[in-house]
C-alpha cells in the first residue's frame, strides 16, 4: 500500500503506511528501502539515508538500496561516499545501468570526466535506449571539448526522445562549437520563439502599479519563501505560488494561461523541429517567486522538465537600463554556463525587464539575470508549462 501511494504522489500517506508495515515487521528490509525512497522525495535526506542504511544492515545485498543511498549522498554533496555506494550496487548487480549512470554523474561532479564518460558508456552498453545516459554523455563530452562526439550523443538521445530539452540545447552548443551556427540558430531561434507580452491589469485592481504592488507583497510575505545561496541562485525564492491561498497570483495565473494558449495557437506545424513537433497536448503550470537584492544572482540555466517557461516582472530596480549600468538586471538568453569550455563566443539576446512585462521562451533556452549592485529589489515570478501525459 505504501509503495502504491508513493507511486500516485500521496507521499504523506505512503510514509504512514510504510511506518505501519515496519511496526508489524521491523526487520522488513524492503519496507525500509521503500521508506527511504519516500523520504528522499519529501526532501528529508538525512532520514532517507538512515532508512537505506537500516535496510542494508538487515540485507546487505540489495543493489537498489545501495544505489538509492548513493543518490541521497550525492544530493548531500558527500560524493566520495556516493561513489562507493554506486560501486557497491554495481558489484552486486553488474548489469545495473542506472547505477553506472548515477556513478557517472558523481564522477562528473568530482571533475573526473574521463571516468564519467566511461561510466555513461557502460550504462549504454547495458541499456542502449537509456535516454538519461545519452544526455549525460553528451554533457560530459561537451565539457571534454569534444563537440563532434557530443553531437552524435545528442542525436542518439533525440532519436529515442525527440523532445528532450537537454539534448536539444546541448546539440545547439555542439553545432556552434563545430562552426555550424546557422544550424544552431534553427534550434535556438530567439526571434521566432521568445514572446514578449505586456499585460493589462486584471479586474479588481486600480491599475498595473496596484496589481504589481499586491504581487510584491504576496511574494515578500509568502510562508514558503527562503534564502538560497548556490551556484545557480543567490536570493530568496518561494515554493509553488499556485497553492492556496493564491491571493493576487490567481489573477496572474489566468493571464499566464491565456498567454500560453496564444503561444501554442501561434506555432506553425513543423515535424522536423524538436520544439515545434512536440507541443504538449495537456499541461499544467508551476510558478514561483524570486527576489534579488544587491549582488543577487540567477546564473545561466535551463528548465528540462518543462516545455515552455516564462517570467513576469513585478518590481524592477531603477538601475536596470540606466546609463552606465551596462544592462544590470536584464535577462540574457543563449549563454551556456561556464562549466562548458566553449571556444566560440555564443550568440545572445538580452531584454530589459519592465514592470508588467512577461516573457515566454522554450525551456531549453539558457538564460540568466545580469547582476546589479543597487540596493533596490528585483522581484519576478517565473513559471513552467509542464507536459502532462
Amino acid at each position: 500500500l505504501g509503495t502504491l501511494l508513493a507511486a500516485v504522489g500521496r507521499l504523506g500517506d505512503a510514509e504512514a503506511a510504510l511506518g505501519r508495515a515496519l511496526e508489524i515487521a521491523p526487520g522488513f528490509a524492503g519496507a525500509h528501502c521503500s521508506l527511504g525512497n519516500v523520504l528522499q522525495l519529501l526532501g528529508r535526506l538525512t532520514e532517507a539515508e538512515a532508512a537505506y542504511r537500516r535496510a542494508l544492515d538487515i540485507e546487505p545485498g540489495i543493489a537498489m538500496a545501495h544505489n538509492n543511498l548513493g543518490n541521497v549522498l550525492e544530493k548531500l554533496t558527500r560524493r566520495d561516499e556516493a561513489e562507493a555506494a554506486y560501486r557497491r550496487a554495481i558489484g552486486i548487480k553488474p548489469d545495473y545501468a542506472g547505477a553506472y549512470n548515477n556513478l557517472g554523474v558523481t564522477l562528473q561532479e568530482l571533475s573526473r570526466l574521463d571516468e564519467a564518460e566511461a561510466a555513461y558508456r557502460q550504462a549504454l552498453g547495458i541499456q542502449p535506449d537509456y535516454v538519461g545516459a545519452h544526455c549525460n554523455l553528451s554533457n560530459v563530452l561537451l565539457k571534454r571539448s569534444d563537440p563532434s562526439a557530443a553531437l552524435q550523443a545528442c542525436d542518439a538521445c533525440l532519436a529515442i526522445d525527440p523532445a528532450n530539452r537537454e539534448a536539444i540545447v546541448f546539440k545547439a552548443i555542439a553545432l556552434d562549437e563545430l562552426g555550424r551556427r546557422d544550424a544552431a540558430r534553427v534550434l535556438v531561434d530567439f526571434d521566432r520563439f521568445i514572446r514578449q507580452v505586456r499585460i493589462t491589469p486584471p479586474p479588481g485592481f486600480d491599475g498595473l502599479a496596484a496589481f504589481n504592488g499586491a504581487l510584491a507583497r504576496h511574494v515578500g510575505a509568502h510562508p514558503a519563501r527562503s534564502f538560497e545561496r548556490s551556484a545557480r541562485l543567490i536570493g530568496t525564492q518561494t515554493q509553488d505560488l499556485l497553492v492556496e491561498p493564491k491571493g493576487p497570483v490567481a489573477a496572474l495565473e489566468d493571464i499566464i494561461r491565456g498567454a500560453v494558449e496564444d503561444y501554442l495557437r501561434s506555432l506553425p506545424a513543423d515535424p522536423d523541429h524538436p520544439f515545434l513537433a512536440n507541443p504538449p497536448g495537456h499541461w499544467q503550470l508551476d510558478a514561483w517567486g524570486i527576489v534579488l537584492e544587491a549582488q543577487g544572482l540567477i546564473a545561466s540555466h535551463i528548465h528540462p522538465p518543462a516545455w515552455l517557461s516564462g517570467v513576469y516582472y513585478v518590481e524592477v530596480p531603477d538601475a536596470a537600463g540606466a546609463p552606465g549600468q551596462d544592462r544590470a538586471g536584464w535577462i540574457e538568453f543563449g549563454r551556456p554556463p561556464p562549466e562548458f569550455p566553449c571556444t566560440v563566443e555564443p550568440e545572445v539576446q538580452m531584454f530589459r525587464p519592465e514592470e508588467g512585462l512577461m516573457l515566454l521562451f522554450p525551456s531549453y533556452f539558457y538564460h540568466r539575470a545580469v547582476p546589479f549592485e543597487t540596493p533596490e529589489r528585483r522581484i519576478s515570478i517565473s513559471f513552467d508549462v509542464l507536459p502532462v501525459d
Side-chain angles (χ1 to χ4, degrees):
L1 175 62
T3 302
L4 177 61
L5 289 165
V8 298
R10 291 171 56 185
L11 299 181
D13 292 337
E15 181 184 1
L18 291 164
R20 178 64 184 134
L22 290 167
E23 288 175 5
I24 297 165
F28 185 1
H32 284 292
C33 189
S34 295
L35 179 61
N37 297 341
V38 169
L39 292 168
Q40 186 171 182
L41 290 169
L42 288 167
R44 290 155 56 188
L45 299 182
T46 302
E47 294 173 75
E49 178 188 354
Y52 292 133
R53 292 196 186 280
R54 281 194 293 272
L56 291 167
D57 285 341
I58 297 163
E59 193 172 333
I62 306 176
M64 183 180 292
H66 286 289
N67 177 74
N68 294 357
L69 173 61
N71 293 341
V72 167
L73 294 167
E74 169 62 33
K75 290 175 182 175
L76 291 169
T77 67
R78 290 159 55 188
R79 295 198 167 99
D80 290 339
E81 295 176 73
E83 178 188 355
Y86 293 135
R87 292 196 185 279
R88 281 192 290 270
I90 291 165
I92 295 165
K93 183 175 168 54
D95 63 346
Y96 200 159
Y100 273 111
N101 180 68
N102 294 336
L103 174 62
V105 171
T106 291
L107 292 169
Q108 193 167 330
E109 291 294 334
L110 290 168
S111 299
R112 292 156 58 185
L113 301 185
D114 54 343
E115 294 177 74
E117 178 185 346
Y120 296 139
R121 292 195 184 279
Q122 281 276 66
L124 290 168
I126 297 164
Q127 186 179 331
D129 63 349
Y130 194 158
V131 168
H134 281 294
C135 198
N136 289 335
L137 177 61
S138 63
N139 182 313
V140 79
L141 289 167
L142 284 174
K143 291 175 181 174
R144 297 193 69 194
S145 301
D146 190 348
S148 181
L151 181 60
Q152 292 179 10
C154 290
D155 285 338
C157 182
L158 291 168
I160 303 164
D161 180 11
N164 189 284
R165 265 67 76 176
E166 290 180 292
I168 296 171
V169 73
F170 293 161
K171 180 173 182 175
I173 295 170
L175 289 167
D176 213 22
E177 286 291 290
L178 291 166
R180 298 169 59 186
R181 176 153 285 179
D182 287 345
R185 271 197 199 119
V186 172
L187 297 173
V188 185
D189 190 330
F190 302 129
D191 295 335
R192 190 181 192 189
F193 294 137
I194 299 176
R195 180 75 50 82
Q196 299 184 71
V197 179
R198 287 176 172 79
I199 77 161
T200 55
F205 294 91
D206 187 17
L208 187 61
F211 179 51
N212 284 336
L215 288 170
R217 289 189 294 274
H218 184 80
V219 170
H222 199 275
R225 179 185 167 200
S226 61
F227 182 78
E228 179 177 334
R229 178 179 289 275
S230 67
R232 192 186 71 82
L233 174 67
I234 301 176
T236 57
Q237 178 171 293
T238 73
Q239 299 300 315
D240 192 356
L241 289 176
L242 302 183
V243 173
E244 295 290 356
K246 299 179 186 179
V249 175
L252 181 64
E253 180 182 5
D254 290 341
I255 294 169
I256 292 171
R257 289 186 179 278
V260 171
E261 292 290 358
D262 287 344
Y263 190 101
L264 284 163
R265 282 193 293 269
S266 72
L267 291 179
D270 186 346
D272 296 323
H273 194 287
F275 177 67
L276 296 172
N278 297 283
H282 302 281
W283 49 274
Q284 63 186 28
L285 276 180
D286 184 22
W288 61 98
I290 298 178
V291 181
L292 297 184
E293 297 178 345
Q295 300 181 341
L297 170 74
I298 303 177
S300 188
H301 65 288
I302 59 174
H303 300 193
W307 178 77
L308 188 73
S309 295
V311 59
Y312 175 73
Y313 293 103
V314 176
E315 190 174 305
V316 178
D318 291 337
Q325 291 295 320
D326 195 23
R327 300 186 177 181
W330 287 37
I331 186 170
E332 180 188 68
F333 292 96
R335 187 178 302 281
E339 64 201 56
F340 294 109
C342 295
T343 61
V344 177
E345 178 63 23
E347 192 168 53
V348 302
Q349 186 154 327
M350 302 180 72
F351 293 86
R352 177 182 178 179
E354 302 172 25
E355 293 171 6
L357 173 66
M358 180 187 299
L359 295 170
L360 296 96
F361 51 89
S363 300
Y364 64 86
F365 278 23
Y366 274 111
H367 55 287
R368 71 179 184 116
V370 178
F372 62 93
E373 297 296 332
T374 69
E376 302 166 280
R377 298 184 306 180
R378 178 187 186 275
I379 302 178
S380 58
I381 293 175
S382 296
F383 56 90
D384 279 340
V385 174
L386 299 163
V388 176
D389 294 335

